[in-house]
Amino acid sequence: ISRSAMLYLPETVEEQTRQAALAIERAFKDGITRQTVRLALVPRDNPNIGPEEEEWPGGSKQMYREAGRPLTESLLAEVRAPAKSLQT
């Protein structure tokens, strides 16, 4: 198996965030400026990503408040992409 064929699945939220940030940076360097990123939504009090599904009794509001927003903020703080070629 070649190295490029192997897929590493992160086990923690920190690993997930770093892996996503690196993928975003690589795509940006290749000229891809519009991207969709999917993250496993894990509550802040559970730093490990596992195969079991999380319970969200509060629905999407709780999911966003406890997992989506913190993950998004961590990811955006991690990404390092030059803004010189961006159009506004």
Side-chain angles (χ1 to χ4, degrees):
I1 296 176
S2 70
R3 182 173 167 84
S4 63
M6 294 175 33
L7 178 65
Y8 171 74
L9 297 176
E11 296 178 6
T12 67
V13 174
E14 290 79 19
E15 289 176 2
Q16 172 183 236
T17 303
R18 187 68 192 136
Q19 186 180 46
L22 290 172
I24 290 168
E25 291 169 5
R26 282 192 309 270
F28 191 80
K29 286 178 185 174
D30 289 342
I32 301 169
T33 58
R34 300 187 95 181
Q35 302 175 42
T36 299
V37 179
R38 295 179 186 224
L39 301 170
L41 297 178
V42 181
R44 282 181 275 191
D45 58 351
N46 181 9
N48 296 317
I49 299 171
E52 66 280 345
E53 288 191 32
E54 295 294 334
E55 295 292 326
W56 302 99
S60 60
K61 287 183 180 182
Q62 179 188 15
M63 206 182 312
Y64 170 75
R65 181 180 63 246
E66 293 185 20
R69 183 178 179 177
L71 279 171
T72 302
E73 289 173 346
S74 295
L75 177 61
L76 292 175
E78 188 83 24
V79 172
R80 302 289 179 253
K84 64 181 177 181
S85 63
L86 294 179
Q87 296 178 1
T88 56

